[in-house]
């Protein structure tokens, strides 16, 4: 009998062994990569990086290059551990800090003005009704006036005051020799014509810059009392060193007191930007087409989350003038938000303003500047 010996390998066992070897070396490699990523990823500036919360507490903050100015860190919590820390590329345009600088300069000039033998500038604010937001705004303006050496006075009127009574009051303030600036806090009750009231303040004392003559002089590129909020937006841009000349700008909102004056200031000499204005009749598709090509985006609508990061050009300057009080669904508390979805936009924009703390403080600072301008009678309305 002939014995035949054959080699019949056990294929299931063979492939299982190969799998175990591959799994061993693969997991070893994976552990090495993970260890290296934890060591180096926080040092890669300009890219989102992650590390565990415990490791963050042990690591020193990485030194950032000088080109990465004033970064701010946005901590985002995710359902999966570890928690991630996203470093934004945007530079925060701190309106509070710049406003303090301007108010400090105004204070020095007011002090010099008084030491030269002049009386302190006087600003009168008129508050009609008890609108909580308006009350807060007027209080902030009064505090700013006090801190800059400007004599501030607030006149509180009932919401039932007639239009004629308010016009009579403005007439007396216009004629008062010791009153330099007058502002009527908007909005006014429905039975009062806001445009009529704004034009009842003489241009020389119109520190809000709402009078038709002041707006007309702005259109004609003549020296004028600039509207405080647009004035603040332009100062915020200029003091930060942002170039507007030859840039493409989009202003969303065409209100007479904010949107249109901002667009004018961006277009006229000194701004020199190619400017597009979007309004309520602009379609969403059109607006997105303009925004995605814009170097500068200014939104003044009052509609939360109107602009998101995916709509922006990489490195765009984003100025959020809108402000809306909403109720947080998670906490149930009210908070202020702008037109721009800050979390997503800050990952795409080059510069961005927060809400609050961006344009608002600049508006108050420019009101102080306008009051001093009115007191010194720097604008010749006879020309």
């Amino acid at each position: 009998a002939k014995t035949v010996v054959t080699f019949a390998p056990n294929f299931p066992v063979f492939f299982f062994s190969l799998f175990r070897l591959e799994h061993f070396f693969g997991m070893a490699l994976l552990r090495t990569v993970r260890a290296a990523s934890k060591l180096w990823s926080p040092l890669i500036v300009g890219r989102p990086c992650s590390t565990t919360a415990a490791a963050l507490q042990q690591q020193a903050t990485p030194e950032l290059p000088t080109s990465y100015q004033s970064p701010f860190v946005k901590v985002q919590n995710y359902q999966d551990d570890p928690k991630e820390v996203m470093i934004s590329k945007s530079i925060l345009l701190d309106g509070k800090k710049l406003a303090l600088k301007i108010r400090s300069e105004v204070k020095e000039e007011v002090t010099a003005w008084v030491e030269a033998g002049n009386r302190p500038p006087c600003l009168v604010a008129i508050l009609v009704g008890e609108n909580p937001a308006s009350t807060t705004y007027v209080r902030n303006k009064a505090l700013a006036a006090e801190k800059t050496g400007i004599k501030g006075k607030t006149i509180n009127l009932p919401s039932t005051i007639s239009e004629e009574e308010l016009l009579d009051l403005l007439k007396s303030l216009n004629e008062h020799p010791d009153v330099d600036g007058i502002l009527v806090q908007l909005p006014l009750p429905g039975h009062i014509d806001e445009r009529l009231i704004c034009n009842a303040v003489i241009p020389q004392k119109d520190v809000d810059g709402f009078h038709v003559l002041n707006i007309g002089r702005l259109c004609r590129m003549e020296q004028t009392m600039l509207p405080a909020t647009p004035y603040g937006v332009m100062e915020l841009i200029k003091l930060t060193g942002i170039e507007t000349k030859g840039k493409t700008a989009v202003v969303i909102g065409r209100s007479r007191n904010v949107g249109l004056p901002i667009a004018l200031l961006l277009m006229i000499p000194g701004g020199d930007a190619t400017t597009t204005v979007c309004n309520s009749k602009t379609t969403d598709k059109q607006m997105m087409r303009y925004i995605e090509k814009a170097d500068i985006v200014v939104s003044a609508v009052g509609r939360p989350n109107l602009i998101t990061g995916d709509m922006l050009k990489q490195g765009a300057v984003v100025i959020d003038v809108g402000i809306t009080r909403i109720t947080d669904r998670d906490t149930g508390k009210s908070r202020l938000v702008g037109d721009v979805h800050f979390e997503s936009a800050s990952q795409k924009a080059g510069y961005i303003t927060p809400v609050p703390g961006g344009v608002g403080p600049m508006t108050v600072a420019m009101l102080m500047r306008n009051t001093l301008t009115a007191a010194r009678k720097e604008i010749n309305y006879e020309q």
Side-chain angles (χ1 to χ4, degrees):
K2 185 177 180 180
T3 303
V4 179
V5 179
T6 60
F7 177 73
N10 190 331
F11 285 99
V13 174
F14 175 74
F15 284 114
F16 178 76
S17 299
L18 287 179
F19 170 78
R20 290 295 301 272
L21 285 173
E22 182 181 6
H23 178 72
F24 173 81
F25 286 111
M27 291 301 295
L29 179 60
L30 182 60
R31 284 193 292 270
T32 303
V33 171
R34 285 178 174 172
S37 66
K38 288 183 180 180
L39 178 63
W40 292 105
S41 62
L43 303 179
I44 304 175
V45 178
R47 298 182 181 178
C49 61
S50 63
T51 186
T52 62
L56 269 177
Q57 296 175 357
Q58 299 175 0
Q59 296 173 355
T61 302
E63 184 176 352
L64 301 174
T66 56
S67 60
Y68 193 72
Q69 305 172 46
S70 305
F72 60 97
V73 177
K74 171 80 172 66
V75 179
Q76 296 178 330
N77 294 328
Y78 294 89
Q79 293 180 350
D80 298 329
D81 285 329
K83 295 178 179 179
E84 294 188 1
V85 176
M86 305 298 292
I87 298 181
S88 169
K89 294 182 180 180
S90 295
I91 298 175
L92 192 67
L93 296 175
D94 192 342
K96 287 183 179 180
K97 185 176 181 180
L98 291 174
L100 284 174
K101 180 179 183 296
I102 294 170
R103 282 164 47 182
S104 177
E105 293 172 353
V106 171
K107 182 178 180 179
E108 291 178 4
E109 294 178 41
V110 168
T111 300
W113 173 254
V114 174
E115 289 176 349
N118 302 290
R119 61 170 175 75
C122 177
L123 172 64
V124 176
I126 298 174
L127 178 61
V128 182
E130 299 178 353
N131 182 294
S134 294
T135 302
T136 300
Y137 295 150
V138 170
R139 186 188 306 119
N140 289 340
K141 293 167 186 176
L143 289 173
E146 180 183 352
K147 291 180 180 180
T148 52
I150 293 173
K151 183 180 178 181
K153 181 179 180 181
T154 301
I155 299 177
N156 294 281
L157 301 173
S159 60
T160 55
I161 189 173
S162 68
E163 191 173 82
E164 291 73 21
E165 289 173 319
L166 183 53
L167 288 171
D168 288 341
L169 173 61
L170 291 175
K171 184 176 184 296
S172 66
L173 293 173
N174 285 335
E175 296 171 352
H176 200 299
D178 293 338
V179 174
D180 300 301
I182 304 169
L183 70 87
V184 181
Q185 184 64 44
L186 303 179
L188 293 171
H191 66 281
I192 298 177
D193 185 341
E194 288 187 357
R195 182 50 47 190
L196 178 65
I197 297 302
C198 289
N199 287 331
V201 179
I202 60 174
Q204 293 87 342
K205 297 186 179 185
D206 173 34
V207 292
D208 261 331
F210 292 165
H211 193 282
V212 64
L213 181 58
N214 281 323
I215 294 296
R217 289 173 68 94
L218 172 59
C219 293
R220 289 175 58 87
M221 295 178 283
E222 298 176 5
Q223 187 183 21
T224 188
M225 200 77 76
L226 294 174
T229 296
Y231 192 4
V233 168
M234 294 306 295
E235 286 297 295
L236 186 65
I237 291 173
K238 290 179 180 178
L239 290 175
T240 310
I242 297 170
E243 182 62 68
T244 58
K245 182 179 180 180
K247 301 298 182 181
T248 301
V250 170
V251 177
I252 304 166
R254 59 178 175 183
S255 67
R256 292 171 295 186
N257 298 336
V258 181
L260 284 181
I262 289 175
L264 284 169
L265 288 170
L266 283 167
M267 287 190 292
I268 65 176
D272 299 302
T274 302
T275 307
T276 300
V277 179
C278 296
N279 57 65
S280 58
K281 301 299 186 270
T282 306
T283 66
D284 290 345
K285 186 176 181 179
Q286 287 175 320
M287 186 177 70
M288 290 183 67
R289 187 168 71 247
Y290 294 133
I291 291 174
E292 67 184 9
K293 296 179 181 178
D295 302 304
I296 302 169
V297 178
V298 182
S299 185
V301 178
R303 179 178 161 190
N305 301 330
L306 175 65
I307 300 172
T308 54
D310 60 320
M311 300 167 66
L312 298 170
K313 178 180 179 180
Q314 186 69 46
V317 177
V318 180
I319 309 293
D320 194 349
V321 186
I323 184 166
T324 307
R325 184 173 294 278
I326 65 169
T327 300
D328 193 296
R329 289 181 296 181
D330 297 328
T331 65
K333 297 180 180 179
S334 65
R335 61 187 179 94
L336 296 175
V337 296
D339 293 347
V340 179
H341 186 265
F342 187 85
E343 285 74 13
S344 62
S346 63
Q347 300 297 320
K348 193 83 170 286
Y351 296 83
I352 190 170
T353 58
V355 175
V359 175
M362 293 296 294
T363 297
V364 177
M366 303 329 294
L367 276 172
M368 302 304 110
R369 168 62 66 190
N370 280 349
T371 301
L372 179 58
T373 297
R376 296 194 294 204
K377 296 178 171 56
E378 296 177 357
I379 302 174
N380 183 4
Y381 284 92
E382 301 302 322
Q383 294 180 344

